Amino acid sequence: MADQKRTQTAGADAAPTREAEEGEGRVAPGAASSHELLRIRGLKTTFHSHHSLVKAVRGVDLTVYDGDFLAVVGESGSGKSVTMKSVMGIMPDNADVEADELTFDGRDMLAMSDEQRRCMRGPDMAMIFQDPMTSLDPVKTIGNHLREVLKRHRGITGKRADEEAIRVLGQVGIPSPEQRLKQYPHEFSGGMRQRVLIAMALCCQPRLLIADEPTTALDVTIQAQILELLQRLGKEMGMSVVLITHDLGVVASLCNRVAVMYGGLIMETGTVRDIFYRPCHPYTRALLGAVPNPNESRTGRLESIPGSAPSLIDPPDGCPFAERCSFTSPACTRGIPDFIDYATGQRARCVFSSDELDAKQEGRK
C-alpha cells in the first residue's frame, strides 16, 4: 500500500522502495552532471477565480542538473507550463505560488525579493514560448528586439550590440543576419520567428533555458530543425534545457531524462530509455500505448485513454488518474500515492509496483 516500504525485484534490475524525496543524496541516472542547478520541492500554484480556487500545481518535486536536457510531458492542463512559469516568477496577480524549497545553483529563491528574482530572468534562466507572434512586437524590428535584451541584461549598446545580435542570429541558423536586423516579425516564417525567440534568450547567456512547446505551430520538417538547434546549443553552451511538450516522439530523440505530469503532480520520472522501455506508471503506459509504433505489425485500433482529465477546481483526494486507470483499486482513492523508487533511479507515484502492474496486465490476456 501507499505507506509501506518494499524491496522486491521489479523488472530486470529495478528494486522498488518507497521514498519521499526525489534522488536524495544521489544524482539521477541519465543526468549530465551531479551538480543540481534547479531544485524544486513541494511547489504549489493556485489561481483565484471569481467563485473558486484552481489548484493547478499540487506539490511538484523536480531537479534539473547542469547540462541536463529534461522533458516535462503530459496532456494539456496537467500543469507543465504553470510549473515552470511559477519557477520563473512570471505568474499573474491572481496566482499564489508556494514551495517547501526552491533553489537555483544553491541560492534560495524563496528568500529573494521580487527585484532579485527579476534579475535572475535572463542571465540565469530564460523561457521561450509556443507562439512567437504573441511574444514579438509587430512594430519593432528584429534588431530592436535583440538590442533591448542586450542592453537590459548585459549592458551592451551601440555597435557592440549590433555585432552581438548578428552573431547570435547566425548562431541560431538565420541566414544573412545583417539584413535580418532591419526586418519586422511579419517578414519571417514561423520557424524563423521561433529562431529569433531562441536568439533573444541566448543573448542573455542563460544557464537554464525553458522551452514551452516551441514547435507546436510548426510543420514537421521545421520542428526537427528547431529541436536539433536546441540540442546543439545546449551542448555547445553547456546550458541546461527543460522542454515542455506533449509529443513523446520529440522526447525520444532529444532528451536524456523525462518527468511525466498529470493533474498537477509528477507521476513518473526516469531516463528516456527507462520511460520508453520500462514505464512504471499506468498513465505513462497509457500515453505510450496511444503512440503509433512503426516497428509493430498492428492491425487493430490504437489504444485510447477513456474519460478526461480531472477538474483542478475540485481535484480528487487520491491518485488523479484513478478514474481513467484500468488498474484502479480502492487504495488508489484513499490519498495521493507515495513514489516508488527503483534501483535504476526511476520513480513512479503509484500504489502498485511495475511487477504488480505487469502481473495484472498478463492476467487479463
Side-chain angles (χ1 to χ4, degrees):
M1 294 321 218
D3 56 350
Q4 294 177 329
K5 286 232 177 194
R6 303 187 194 176
T7 55
Q8 68 186 67
T9 300
D13 56 353
T17 59
R18 298 195 180 273
E19 300 291 346
E21 290 285 346
E22 178 198 9
E24 199 66 38
R26 55 183 169 80
V27 61
S33 165
S34 61
H35 180 259
E36 291 184 356
L37 183 63
L38 176 66
R39 180 179 173 88
I40 306 168
R41 294 294 181 271
L43 178 69
K44 298 178 181 178
T45 301
T46 304
F47 292 96
H48 295 261
S49 67
H50 293 296
H51 305 292
S52 58
L53 299 177
V54 180
K55 301 173 183 178
V57 178
R58 301 194 290 142
V60 163
D61 293 354
L62 205 58
T63 303
V64 182
Y65 297 89
D66 266 337
D68 230 351
F69 211 124
L70 171 70
V72 182
V73 303
E75 60 194 85
S76 297
S78 59
K80 308 182 300 294
S81 298
V82 173
T83 295
M84 300 319 298
K85 287 180 180 179
S86 299
V87 172
M88 289 284 293
I90 54 174
M91 298 301 293
D93 292 338
N94 69 328
D96 284 340
V97 180
E98 58 184 70
D100 298 331
E101 187 178 354
L102 185 60
T103 62
F104 186 89
D105 196 23
R107 290 175 284 167
D108 186 359
M109 297 173 66
L110 298 177
M112 293 181 181
S113 65
D114 290 342
E115 178 63 17
Q116 288 173 318
R117 290 283 297 274
R118 187 193 67 78
C119 290
M120 290 186 68
R121 296 196 288 269
D124 289 315
M125 58 179 78
M127 191 167 186
I128 57 177
F129 300 95
Q130 294 183 33
D131 185 2
M133 277 305 283
T134 62
S135 302
L136 297 171
D137 189 333
V139 300
K140 290 170 60 176
T141 64
I142 298 303
N144 282 338
H145 281 90
L146 294 168
R147 292 185 197 103
E148 181 180 345
V149 173
L150 289 166
K151 180 180 179 180
R152 172 171 294 188
H153 294 287
R154 294 173 59 188
I156 300 176
T157 58
K159 186 177 179 180
R160 276 193 63 208
D162 286 346
E163 292 172 349
E164 181 65 7
I166 291 169
R167 185 192 70 80
V168 175
L169 286 179
Q171 189 178 20
V172 298
I174 293 180
S176 305
E178 298 87 351
Q179 285 72 42
R180 296 292 188 173
L181 287 181
K182 304 171 186 177
Q183 294 183 318
Y184 290 86
H186 72 270
E187 299 180 79
F188 283 62
S189 67
M192 295 289 271
R193 286 193 290 264
Q194 195 60 270
R195 290 174 188 266
V196 170
L197 284 189
I198 297 172
M200 290 173 64
L202 295 183
C203 281
C204 305
Q205 299 178 333
R207 297 184 61 189
L208 172 64
L209 179 64
I210 301 167
D212 187 359
E213 303 202 29
T215 61
T216 296
L218 306 178
D219 62 56
V220 175
T221 304
I222 303 301
Q223 283 183 22
Q225 293 175 4
I226 295 297
L227 294 170
E228 288 170 5
L229 173 64
L230 289 174
Q231 188 178 49
R232 175 175 62 82
L233 292 172
K235 290 178 179 178
E236 289 178 356
M237 301 177 65
M239 179 175 61
S240 300
V241 179
V242 174
L243 177 67
I244 300 170
T245 184
H246 56 259
D247 188 342
L248 291 171
V250 166
V251 173
S253 62
L254 197 66
C255 304
N256 58 320
R257 294 197 303 127
V258 184
V260 181
M261 281 197 74
Y262 184 80
L265 295 167
I266 299 289
M267 308 307 286
E268 184 168 3
T269 61
T271 65
V272 167
R273 186 172 186 83
D274 282 341
I275 294 295
F276 275 79
Y277 291 100
R278 293 188 296 273
C280 296
H281 195 281
Y283 178 57
T284 310
R285 294 183 178 207
L287 285 179
L288 292 170
V291 176
N293 187 344
N295 296 321
E296 290 184 2
S297 56
R298 185 187 294 269
T299 56
R301 298 180 62 182
L302 286 172
E303 298 177 22
S304 63
I305 304 176
S308 57
S311 169
L312 295 180
I313 295 176
D314 185 23
D317 295 329
C319 174
F321 190 60
E323 288 190 5
R324 307 173 72 186
C325 180
S326 59
F327 302 102
T328 301
S329 75
C332 300
T333 60
R334 292 179 190 148
I336 296 174
D338 292 331
F339 277 104
I340 297 179
D341 279 0
Y342 296 83
T344 59
Q346 198 170 353
R347 333 179 64 222
R349 190 188 289 275
C350 186
V351 298
F352 298 114
S353 72
S354 180
D355 278 354
E356 289 171 327
L357 292 176
D358 289 342
K360 285 175 174 285
Q361 193 163 4
E362 189 65 30
R364 294 175 181 175
K365 293 181 180 179

